[in-house]
Amino acid sequence: LLKKLLILDRLPGPSSIGGGCSIFMARNKKGHVLVGRNLDFRHKPHNPSVLMLRTAPEKDYASLSMADLGFMPLPKGSLSDGTSDISAAVMFPYLALDGMNDRGLFIGVMQLKFPPTRQETGKTKVTTTVMIRAVLDKAATVEDAIEIFQSYDMQSPVPNNDYHFLIADRSGRSVVIEYVDNLMKVI
């Protein structure tokens, strides 16, 4: 499943006012769909921060995604010196905060300071990053992604935050999915 790992050290951090992730979708002069984002979480200095991950599952779509390893407790020096136990790498596909698959579908998550989503409709419960992995692996269009979102109960992984997602496909269609009072809203 894991074809290639690239670990980058943390670049100079964001301003002192805290997180403020942003994502946008636009078209260039040639009509190509472009997506941009910033990711500005701060973590302990010994953790590698950003991992670019390529996955190529046999029956699903291949993708490139960015994972923030600061959310995963790694032993000091692991992965960065090439001599440590890398068994934690099996979790990396489930730490993606954004990515694009080989069908041209992009998904990214942004943090909100709202009460966390805790849907309880009887569907399988997933967190934000597990949802991102499902969408990257299975969705070719925004419509496919919406169907995937509708088939799960969202569980925000952090007690004081909620999240919303920007999804865009190669046609230029884009939506924002957020949860209001535990109900999924598509904008």
Side-chain angles (χ1 to χ4, degrees):
L1 179 66
L2 300 176
K3 294 288 187 181
K4 192 174 190 179
L5 301 176
L6 171 64
I7 299 174
L8 305 173
D9 289 330
R10 169 73 56 190
L11 298 174
S15 69
S16 62
I17 61 171
C21 298
S22 301
I23 303 175
F24 72 90
M25 194 272 321
R27 288 186 184 272
N28 67 10
K29 291 179 182 181
K30 294 182 179 181
H32 297 123
V33 176
L34 306 173
V35 178
R37 79 110 83 234
N38 77 323
L39 181 63
D40 56 1
F41 289 112
R42 291 182 193 212
H43 300 291
K44 295 178 183 174
H46 72 270
N47 278 1
S49 298
V50 180
L51 173 111
M52 178 177 277
L53 178 69
R54 181 180 182 273
T55 58
E58 287 183 25
K59 296 180 181 179
D60 294 327
Y61 302 130
S63 64
L64 285 175
S65 57
M66 295 297 285
D68 188 332
L69 298 184
F71 291 110
M72 183 173 186
L74 297 172
K76 186 173 182 157
S78 68
L79 302 173
S80 60
D81 63 9
T83 62
S84 300
D85 176 7
I86 63 165
S87 60
V90 299
M91 291 302 298
F92 292 170
Y94 301 96
L95 296 176
L97 299 181
D98 58 51
M100 183 168 47
N101 66 24
D102 62 0
R103 300 298 178 158
L105 182 101
F106 170 87
I107 182 170
V109 64
M110 296 162 285
Q111 183 178 359
L112 298 168
K113 296 287 185 191
F114 290 115
T117 298
R118 299 277 191 257
Q119 289 186 305
E120 298 286 344
T121 68
K123 299 174 191 168
T124 300
K125 296 176 183 179
V126 297
T127 61
T128 55
T129 58
V130 172
M131 181 66 79
I132 288 172
R133 176 56 37 211
V135 168
L136 289 172
D137 288 351
K138 303 282 188 189
T141 65
V142 166
E143 290 77 15
D144 294 344
I146 292 169
E147 286 182 30
I148 292 168
F149 268 82
Q150 291 170 334
S151 65
Y152 292 98
D153 276 349
M154 180 59 65
Q155 303 291 307
S156 295
V158 178
N160 298 317
N161 295 306
D162 200 15
Y163 299 87
H164 57 190
F165 303 82
L166 180 111
I167 305 167
D169 63 30
R170 71 179 337 133
S171 76
R173 174 132 197 259
S174 65
V175 296
V176 172
I177 293 180
E178 21 184 63
Y179 295 86
V180 178
D181 298 325
N182 290 319
L183 297 174
M184 186 178 102
K185 304 291 183 184
V186 179
I187 303 163

